[in-house]
Amino acid sequence: MSEKKNAKRAPAVSVTATKKGHGKKKKRGLFSWLKNLKLSQNIGIDLGTATVLVYVQGKGIVLEEPSVVAIDTNSDRILAVGKQAQQMLGRTPGNITAVRPLRDGVISQYEVTLRMIQHFIRSACKNMFFPPRVMICIPSGITEVEERAVIDAAREAGAQKVYLIEEPTAAAIGAGLDIYAPNGNMVVDIGGGTTDIAVLALGGVVVSESIKIAGDRFDEAIIRYVRRKYNVQIGERSAEAIKKHIGAVYDHPDPKFVEVKGRCLSQGLPKLINISSQEMIVALAEPITAILDAIRSVIERTPPELLGDILRNGIVMTGGGSLLYGFDRLITRVTGIKTRVASDAVSCVAIGTGKSLDNLDLLHEGTINISREKKVRL
């Protein structure tokens, strides 16, 4: 009888064990879900005219996309953001518009910028329970109204708190300079919309200048040159491709050539031309001269003690525009100060913004009033 009772009870024991196993699996699944869920994140955004880079604290740069948005004008619906939208530039039908909502380093189309920031925040911060704290990098020559537009756009896009940092400060930190030391460092950051030049010491900007001449103006200069010399019209994307492949501001020992397709203005037909890197020196002369004048202006206003430090430490260049062939050598020749291009120059501003997230708790939320601080410095 006891053996029969044991035989009847055996299946019940195995069933109970199986149920317990399922319970453990459910608990493990819940724990793994909770482990992946993050309450909040700190993110840094390099809100560039040409490219937006997003830095997530603890991860590094997680997103790098062009600052382009494609919109359906009939329904006011965003069709694509970033690389997909960039491919549509100059190729859209009547009801679709591909736009760049940032011009000269500031917001030119508020609603489109807001939705673009919202898209990038959501893409970078997945499995997030609370909205992130966001630090945004802006040009040093920005006005108070433009500051407020950036802050309001970021808050409406879903940021819990918004902090601002000047581009040259972020660029210096990203380039590995010790800006808190009691000696001077000079940074030239050439982005898509603005060139920011600054002398930094003891954690602050001593002298700075921001001009709205940078990568976009380089493209425009190339378009004008090709039209003037070859009577051929090319688009922005073609000009940017020329700049990236053979862009130069100094004599190249081994000249490079690139084939360019455009429309002949006299015949109205497609035309293929060859352009050399030597021609780029002539094409880019006007915007490059303006940047050199701005660098000289900052040097002239720099206190003598810091100028001695800069002569010793040299000038550091960051941003995509600094990658033009021979730009560092040209600045060295004009100023007499040794100049070098930072490693990973394109990402320096984003990296510096990301590193500044470690000190977020020490900063005040909202506007740093960069425009007012600049007036005090001047």
Side-chain angles (χ1 to χ4, degrees), residues 1 6 44 53 91 95-96 114 118 121-122 146 151 222 253 269 278 335 344 346 351 356:
M1 289 291 290
N6 289 338
L53 289 90
R91 296 189 173 119
N95 66 312
I96 298 174
L114 187 155
Q118 191 175 51
I121 288 176
R122 287 176 178 172
E146 290 164 344
I151 292 166
I222 292 170
L269 299 173
Q278 295 297 112
T335 63
D344 199 6
V346 176
I351 293 168
S356 300

Side-chain angles (χ1 to χ4, degrees), residues 320-369:
S322 66
L323 301 178
L324 288 174
Y325 177 81
F327 209 161
D328 52 342
R329 277 190 262 177
L330 181 63
I331 293 174
T332 301
R333 193 180 74 181
V334 170
T335 63
I337 303 171
K338 63 180 181 181
T339 305
R340 65 180 177 88
V341 179
S343 59
D344 199 6
V346 176
S347 304
C348 273
V349 172
I351 293 168
T353 305
K355 287 182 178 179
S356 300
L357 294 173
D358 297 335
N359 302 319
L360 217 54
D361 294 327
L362 305 175
L363 300 175
H364 295 290
E365 183 196 356
T367 177
I368 301 175
N369 241 330

Side-chain angles (χ1 to χ4, degrees), residues 25-72:
K25 284 179 183 177
K26 285 180 182 178
K27 285 180 181 179
R28 283 173 189 166
L30 180 63
F31 287 142
S32 63
W33 181 80
L34 288 171
K35 190 177 180 182
N36 291 329
L37 180 68
K38 295 184 178 179
L39 295 179
S40 184
Q41 286 180 319
N42 295 332
I43 68 173
I45 300 177
D46 175 13
L47 198 61
T49 305
T51 310
V52 173
L53 289 90
V54 180
Y55 186 107
V56 175
Q57 192 172 24
K59 291 183 180 179
I61 296 173
V62 298
L63 190 145
E64 182 177 350
E65 295 275 353
S67 310
V68 185
V69 180
I71 303 169
D72 186 338

Side-chain angles (χ1 to χ4, degrees), residues 111-137:
E111 288 296 329
V112 180
T113 304
L114 187 155
R115 290 154 82 176
M116 183 179 74
I117 294 173
Q118 191 175 51
H119 171 82
F120 288 141
I121 288 176
R122 287 176 178 172
S123 299
C125 300
K126 297 172 182 176
N127 298 326
M128 182 182 60
F129 194 74
F130 293 117
R133 294 190 298 174
V134 178
M135 177 174 279
I136 298 180
C137 192

